[in-house]
Amino acid sequence: MTETQHKPDRAEPLIYITALQSEQLAAAKALSMQYGWPLAQTQDDQWALQLQPDKLVLRRADGLAYHIDFLHGKAAKHAREADLSRQPLARAMGLRAFKKRFDRMPVVADVTAGFAQDAWLIAALGCHVHLVERLNVLYEMQNDARRRVLEYEPGSLSSIIAGRMLCHLGYATQWLQNTSDNKPDIVYLDPMYPATNKKALVNKGMQILHDLAGPDHGNEALLAAALATAQYRVIVKRPKGAPHIVGSDAWGGQLTTINSPATRFDVYHVTN
Ligand SMILES: C[S@@+](CC[C@H](N)C(=O)[O-])C[C@H]1O[C@@H](n2cnc3c(N)ncnc32)[C@H](O)[C@@H]1O
């Protein structure tokens, strides 16, 4: 598998790049050159990506900050858990049935990867997962978090999980259309949903993502590309009570749902 480097054509919010210590300055300059992000010492009222010795921190203009951490918290817990198969996402993926039928784990394309929390869980379940993200800053954060696991904990369960992840910068529909020789078994979609109230944004990460990425349009084309590409299933994550993704009316195949307290997974069965 090779990494895809592709420049999205959508304008991202202006992100300043800062280095906490002089040791991170060279890397900060490289990112600044690559993406045209202005390099700054400190930036109090702008979006900023701060290079720290042990993490890449994304800071919103009001100071709310987030970094992807696969070494602690929920991600570390997922890495340690022997049996994640009862997780709603695992059930939506139909992992047991897939393994029984094909004697291997499915290859998954998470083409709306965001902060890669779902992608980590999918990899912890034993699947190789392609992460596709259209925003440069999120792609860099995913890749950085993944690299740090491999660097800080070589040989660990977490590093095995990180080794199953491959990050791609680009647009989902285009990426899916280019996979003709190597189609994923499962395509996973979690597009941005317009938040009707702040309570829907359950954590810091979602609040930041919501402001950074904005609501997604064009889900119809995305679903069509996913259905044309997936060999086994397409899974769409929706907030509980939300309508099906736009374009689902045109799907004539089996559609089931798996519910968890705040989330619903819509499962489009491409093969039964
Ligand atoms: C709700 S977030 C995904 C959160 C993710 N599941 C997680 O666990 O962190 C949606 C993400 O998909 C990205 N996205 C939306 N449409 C996309 C597209 N067509 N191609 C690539 N990325 C897309 C957005 O930029 C955003 O980062």
Side-chain angles (χ1 to χ4, degrees):
M1 290 192 281
T2 56
E3 293 216 343
T4 309
Q5 278 281 349
H6 162 84
K7 287 240 173 215
D9 51 25
R10 177 188 181 276
E12 295 178 23
L14 182 64
I15 310 244
Y16 283 81
I17 182 118
T18 68
L20 190 66
Q21 296 170 359
S22 54
E23 284 78 8
Q24 289 92 52
L25 202 53
K29 279 184 182 158
L31 283 176
S32 166
M33 294 266 290
Q34 187 175 355
Y35 296 115
W37 294 328
L39 196 60
Q41 265 315 74
T42 54
Q43 208 58 45
D44 287 339
D45 54 358
Q46 300 279 1
W47 283 87
L49 184 67
Q50 187 178 59
L51 278 76
Q52 297 190 9
D54 59 344
K55 54 185 175 278
L56 261 188
V57 179
L58 179 63
R59 213 178 47 94
R60 204 168 63 175
D62 64 357
L64 189 70
Y66 185 83
H67 72 279
I68 302 179
D69 185 357
F70 293 143
L71 290 167
H72 307 96
K74 206 169 165 184
K77 189 168 167 272
H78 281 153
R80 284 193 306 269
E81 255 173 70
D83 185 13
L84 290 165
S85 62
R86 294 171 70 87
Q87 289 278 338
L89 179 53
R91 286 164 42 221
M93 288 166 72
L95 286 185
R96 282 192 184 154
F98 185 96
K99 197 161 179 225
K100 202 167 161 195
R101 185 160 158 199
F102 299 103
D103 198 27
R104 64 175 175 86
M105 295 301 271
V107 173
V108 179
D110 175 352
V111 297
T112 53
F115 283 137
Q117 303 305 293
D118 293 329
W120 178 265
L121 174 59
I122 293 167
L125 285 163
C127 304
H128 282 272
V129 48
H130 293 275
L131 291 76
V132 183
E133 172 55 53
R134 65 183 176 177
L135 296 183
N136 300 323
V137 66
L138 296 179
Y139 162 79
E140 287 296 335
M141 290 173 77
Q142 294 163 7
N143 231 347
D144 176 80
R146 176 189 158 278
R147 264 196 314 255
R148 285 181 199 273
V149 176
L150 299 172
E151 188 185 324
Y152 296 164
E153 295 191 354
S156 65
L157 282 175
S158 293
S159 73
I160 293 170
I161 295 169
R164 295 186 188 126
M165 299 165 80
L166 195 57
C167 305
H168 307 268
L169 175 60
Y171 274 89
T173 306
Q174 210 175 340
W175 189 89
L176 288 167
Q177 285 162 352
N178 287 337
T179 57
S180 50
D181 292 343
N182 214 350
K183 294 187 173 188
D185 301 297
I186 296 175
V187 177
Y188 178 67
L189 306 178
D190 177 18
M192 300 298 299
Y193 188 75
T196 44
N197 60 46
K198 286 279 171 193
K199 277 191 193 152
L201 304 173
V202 284
N203 57 37
K204 271 203 300 194
M206 277 316 291
Q207 288 178 39
I208 289 184
L209 258 186
H210 186 256
D211 284 354
L212 182 71
D216 279 320
H217 307 289
N219 289 338
E220 199 162 356
L222 182 55
L223 179 64
L227 289 169
T229 308
Q231 301 293 290
Y232 184 58
R233 288 182 178 185
V234 172
I235 299 165
V236 184
K237 185 178 185 178
R238 303 299 278 162
K240 196 176 174 183
H244 287 123
I245 192 171
V246 178
S248 61
D249 292 355
W251 169 244
Q254 190 188 1
L255 173 55
T256 57
T257 57
I258 299 284
N259 290 295
S260 72
T263 303
R264 189 184 79 233
F265 294 102
D266 294 338
V267 184
Y268 297 75
H269 298 250
V270 176
T271 53
N272 290 307

